[in-house]
C-alpha cells in the first residue's frame, strides 16, 4: 500500500477562523479579508471532512495530512484567478461581501494557470479559511501546515449560540442539505458531534441536544488545547466575541503581528460595517441569514445583564432540569472569565 504525500508548499500562509455555530466567525472573517495580503474568506468543508473522518479512524494520519496540504494549495491556486470564487450576490462568502471585491473581478480576466505560481510568489497571499466546530480534531491541520498556520478560535457566551444551534438541530438533521460527517448507530444516522452520547442525543429535544453538544464539544476542546499545547504553540489565537466587538484594537494588533501584515485600505470601513467596535455586544448586523439563524435585536430597555437573565429563563422553560443545570454552568463559567457584567 502506497503512502499519500504532498511535499510541496504552494500556499505560503494560512489563517483559519474556527468556532461553534453562532460564535461570530462571519463577523471576523471579512475583517481579516480587509488586511493586506489576506484573501477572501473561504469555507473549508473538505478539511473538516478530512479531520472528522480521520478522527473516526477511517483515514490514516498520512492521508489526512496530505489531503489538507493539497486542499490549501488547490484553493490558493484557484483564488488567484477567481476560479471557484463565490459570486452569488447575497451569500456571506460572496465577493460582494468581501472588502476588496474588485480584486476578484480583475482576476477573472487576467492571465491564469501557468502564470499563477509566479503571482503567488510575488504577492505572498494569505489564504483565509473558515471552519465549523473543528478545533477539537484539528491536530491534522497543525501537523500539515506547520509554521504556515495561524488558527483563530472564536468563543462566545453560550446563550448567544444556543438559538442557532437549536435551529440547526431542527432544520438540518436528516436534511439532504446537511452535507456533514455522520456515523451509523444501530441503523440510525447521527451527526459526528453525537459520538459518545448517542442515547442521550436520541431521547433529547432540540434545545437539549444543542446544550449537550455545546457541553461535550467544549470539553473536547479543552482536552485538545491541553493535550496538544506543544503542537499549537505560537499558532493559536483565542478571541472572545464579547471582548473583541467592544475593544478590538489589541486583538487586531495580535492578529496582524502573527500574520506579518497590517491594516489595509478597507479595514476601517469593514470594521464599521461589522459594527466593531460597538457599545452593546448584541448590536450586530440584521442580515436575513442571521435572522434565519436565530438572531434577534437587543430587547429594548434591558441592560446586557437583564437580557442574559431573560434568555436564561427562556431556556429553563424548554429543557429538563439536568440539561438546564449543565447549561447554566457553561454560562457561569464563561461569564467568570470572559464577560464580567455589572
Amino acid at each position: 500500500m502506497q503512502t499519500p504525500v504532498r511535499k510541496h508548499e504552494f500556499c505560503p500562509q494560512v489563517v483559519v477562523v474556527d468556532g461553534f455555530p453562532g460564535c461570530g466567525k462571519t463577523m471576523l472573517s471579512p475583517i481579516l479579508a480587509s488586511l493586506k495580503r489576506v484573501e477572501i474568506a473561504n469555507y473549508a468543508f473538505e478539511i473538516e471532512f478530512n479531520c472528522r473522518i480521520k478522527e473516526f479512524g477511517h483515514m490514516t494520519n498520512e492521508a489526512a495530512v496530505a489531503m489538507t496540504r493539497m486542499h490549501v494549495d488547490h484553493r490558493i491556486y484557484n483564488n488567484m484567478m477567481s476560479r471557484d470564487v463565490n459570486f452569488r450576490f447575497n451569500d456571506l462568502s460572496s465577493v460582494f461581501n468581501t472588502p476588496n471585491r474588485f480584486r476578484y473581478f480583475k482576476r477573472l480576466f487576467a492571465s491564469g494557470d501557468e502564470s499563477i505560481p509566479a503571482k503567488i510568489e510575488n504577492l505572498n497571499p494569505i489564504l483565509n479559511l473558515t471552519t465549523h466546530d473543528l478545533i477539537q480534531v484539528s491536530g491534522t491541520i497543525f501537523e500539515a501546515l506547520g509554521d504556515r498556520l495561524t488558527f483563530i478560535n472564536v468563543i462566545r457566551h453560550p446563550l448567544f449560540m444556543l438559538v442557532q444551534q437549536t435551529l440547526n438541530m431542527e432544520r438540518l438533521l436528516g436534511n439532504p442539505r446537511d452535507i456533514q460527517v455522520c456515523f451509523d448507530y444501530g441503523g440510525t444516522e447521527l451527526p459526528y458531534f453525537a459520538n459518545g452520547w448517542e442515547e442521550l442525543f436520541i431521547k433529547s429535544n432540540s434545545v437539549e441536544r444543542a446544550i449537550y453538544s455545546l457541553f461535550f464539544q467544549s470539553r473536547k476542546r479543552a482536552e485538545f488545547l491541553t493535550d496538544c499545547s506543544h503542537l499549537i504553540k505560537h499558532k493559536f489565537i483565542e478571541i472572545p466575541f464579547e471582548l473583541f466587538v467592544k475593544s478590538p484594537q489589541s486583538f487586531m494588533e495580535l492578529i496582524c503581528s502573527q500574520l506579518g501584515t497590517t491594516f489595509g485600505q478597507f479595514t476601517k470601513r469593514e470594521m464599521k460595517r461589522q459594527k466593531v467596535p460597538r457599545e452593546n455586544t448584541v448590536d450586530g448586523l440584521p442580515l436575513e441569514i442571521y435572522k434565519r439563524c436565530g438572531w434577534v435585536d437587543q430587547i429594548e430597555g434591558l441592560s446586557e445583564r437583564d437580557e442574559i437573565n431573560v434568555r436564561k429563563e427562556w431556556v429553563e422553560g424548554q429543557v429538563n432540569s439536568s440539561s438546564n443545570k449543565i447549561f447554566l454552568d457553561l454560562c457561569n463559567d464563561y461569564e467568570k472569565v470572559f464577560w464580567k457584567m455589572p
Side-chain angles (χ1 to χ4, degrees), residues 100-341:
N100 196 1
R101 68 187 66 172
F102 296 109
R103 169 199 295 172
Y104 299 95
F105 286 95
K106 291 178 182 177
R107 289 179 182 177
L108 276 173
F109 303 99
S111 59
D113 297 318
E114 291 86 353
S115 67
I116 296 303
K119 289 184 178 181
I120 291 175
E121 185 174 356
N122 291 333
L123 297 175
N124 195 26
I126 301 172
L127 185 63
N128 181 9
L129 300 179
T130 304
T131 58
H132 304 79
D133 188 23
L134 196 65
I135 184 64
Q136 305 89 288
V137 294
S138 63
T140 296
I141 305 174
F142 286 92
E143 181 178 348
L145 302 181
D147 291 337
R148 293 187 288 164
L149 175 66
T150 297
F151 195 106
I152 300 175
N153 190 222
V154 183
I155 57 176
R156 192 175 187 180
H157 195 295
L159 270 172
F160 293 91
M161 299 188 291
L162 184 67
V163 173
Q164 178 172 337
Q165 297 198 36
T166 297
L167 291 174
N168 287 349
M169 300 294 177
E170 294 174 350
R171 298 173 179 176
L172 292 180
L173 295 183
N175 189 324
R177 290 183 60 247
D178 185 29
I179 305 172
Q180 187 52 269
V181 174
C182 296
F183 65 97
D184 179 77
Y185 182 73
T188 300
E189 185 180 76
L190 297 182
Y192 70 89
F193 53 80
N195 186 30
W197 52 285
E198 296 88 351
E199 291 296 328
L200 185 58
F201 178 89
I202 290 171
K203 71 179 184 181
S204 298
N205 66 33
S206 296
V207 183
E208 291 164 352
R209 288 176 175 180
I211 289 173
Y212 290 130
S213 175
L214 280 169
F215 171 72
F216 286 111
Q217 293 297 86
S218 294
R219 190 164 67 179
K220 289 181 179 179
R221 175 187 179 276
E223 290 173 355
F224 173 83
L225 294 179
T226 299
D227 296 342
C228 298
S229 59
H230 62 287
L231 183 64
I232 68 176
K233 190 176 182 181
H234 307 308
K235 305 171 191 174
F236 178 80
I237 298 175
E238 183 177 74
I239 295 187
F241 176 88
E242 293 80 10
L243 300 183
F244 180 86
V245 296
K246 286 192 170 183
S247 301
Q249 188 62 31
S250 62
F251 293 106
M252 291 299 297
E253 290 174 356
L254 175 60
I255 292 170
C256 286
S257 175
Q258 182 71 21
L259 294 177
T261 188
T262 57
F263 278 27
Q265 59 178 318
F266 303 106
T267 303
K268 289 185 178 179
R269 187 177 75 183
E270 183 60 26
M271 292 181 72
K272 183 177 181 180
R273 189 176 80 90
Q274 297 293 339
K275 295 187 176 182
V276 176
R278 64 184 68 162
E279 184 174 342
N280 192 296
T281 56
V282 299
D283 186 23
L285 298 180
L287 301 178
E288 287 303 316
I289 179 63
Y290 290 162
K291 292 177 181 178
R292 292 203 306 270
C293 293
W295 181 89
V296 293
D297 204 351
Q298 182 184 13
I299 302 173
E300 187 175 357
L302 294 186
S303 66
E304 288 183 336
R305 169 57 69 185
D306 290 337
E307 184 160 351
I308 287 288
N309 291 334
V310 168
R311 290 173 183 251
K312 286 180 179 178
E313 290 175 3
W314 175 84
V315 174
E316 185 178 8
Q318 304 296 315
V319 300
N320 60 45
S321 58
S322 176
S323 58
N324 188 56
K325 182 182 185 306
I326 288 174
F327 188 66
L328 290 178
D329 287 343
L330 286 172
C331 293
N332 292 335
D333 289 344
Y334 189 87
E335 291 175 21
K336 288 176 184 176
V337 180
F338 298 111
W339 198 10
K340 297 179 174 64
M341 292 173 290

